[in-house]
Amino acid sequence: MNYLPALDLSRAPPVLFFFGLAGAGKTHVGRLASRLSGRFFYDADDDLSAEMRLALTEQRPFTEAMRDEFFPRVAQEILSLQRQHVGLVVTQGVYKQRHRDYLRTRVPGMEMLCVSCSPAVLRQRLALRQQGISSSSAAALLADFEAPAPGMRIIDNDADDAGIVQQLNRLYAA
């Protein structure tokens, strides 16, 4: 059994939003943080439109129109969940910087963190996937991803769960 250090998010904002490439491990990091902190977990991919789901099935990237319709719904859902829960953990790719900026300006008390891993680990994870986005779709989306803005915090998900907890503790522990 792997030892996991305690997770201390006492200095974290009310909403932690993990974004990044398909296969980087956003959902894994988010679920881990939620489980260890007691914060409510929301995977914004659960609210993808039918048009977005079709694009994924057909291995097409999302259009700007799809994204522009999607992110206001995500912001509203986060605001609604904030009224119901003391702390939130949110995950979604958010490939474009303008959509990250949009969410940050509309959701008070939220910090966005990029989940990253090495290209080799990313390829390995995508090759093993049996659900969700295919590795060919992820490869098409790779060109669509805009790097995080300078100064944005990054969580390295090449590590094991203990390493992820240690990174979060360095950022937020009292």
Side-chain angles (χ1 to χ4, degrees), residues 3-78:
Y3 167 76
L4 279 180
L7 177 60
D8 180 359
L9 298 179
S10 57
R11 293 187 313 151
V15 180
L16 294 177
F17 193 124
F18 297 100
F19 75 95
L21 287 167
K26 304 171 294 291
T27 303
H28 177 77
V29 171
R31 287 191 187 282
L32 178 67
S34 172
R35 179 172 50 92
L36 296 177
S37 69
R39 288 172 173 235
F40 184 82
F41 177 79
Y42 167 54
D43 183 346
D45 283 349
D46 291 344
D47 290 328
L48 291 175
S49 68
E51 184 180 22
M52 293 172 100
R53 290 182 192 282
L54 179 61
L56 287 174
T57 300
E58 294 175 349
Q59 301 181 3
R60 292 182 289 115
F62 298 152
T63 65
E64 289 305 306
M66 288 178 201
R67 289 183 176 112
D68 290 345
E69 177 186 314
F70 175 65
F71 286 108
R73 288 197 325 258
V74 170
Q76 282 304 115
E77 183 64 17
I78 294 170

Side-chain angles (χ1 to χ4, degrees), residues 69-126:
E69 177 186 314
F70 175 65
F71 286 108
R73 288 197 325 258
V74 170
Q76 282 304 115
E77 183 64 17
I78 294 170
L79 292 169
S80 175
L81 290 169
Q82 273 188 303
R83 291 188 291 273
Q84 302 168 46
H85 304 280
V86 174
L88 297 176
V89 172
V90 181
T91 60
Q92 209 287 322
V94 198
Y95 275 40
K96 300 294 184 179
Q97 184 60 43
R98 72 183 189 91
H99 294 115
R100 294 174 211 143
D101 293 340
Y102 175 89
L103 290 169
R104 286 194 345 241
T105 62
R106 278 156 182 87
V107 179
M110 180 175 77
E111 181 172 10
M112 299 189 83
L113 299 101
C114 183
V115 177
S116 181
C117 65
S118 70
V121 169
L122 185 68
R123 282 191 301 276
Q124 179 184 27
R125 288 178 183 159
L126 291 172

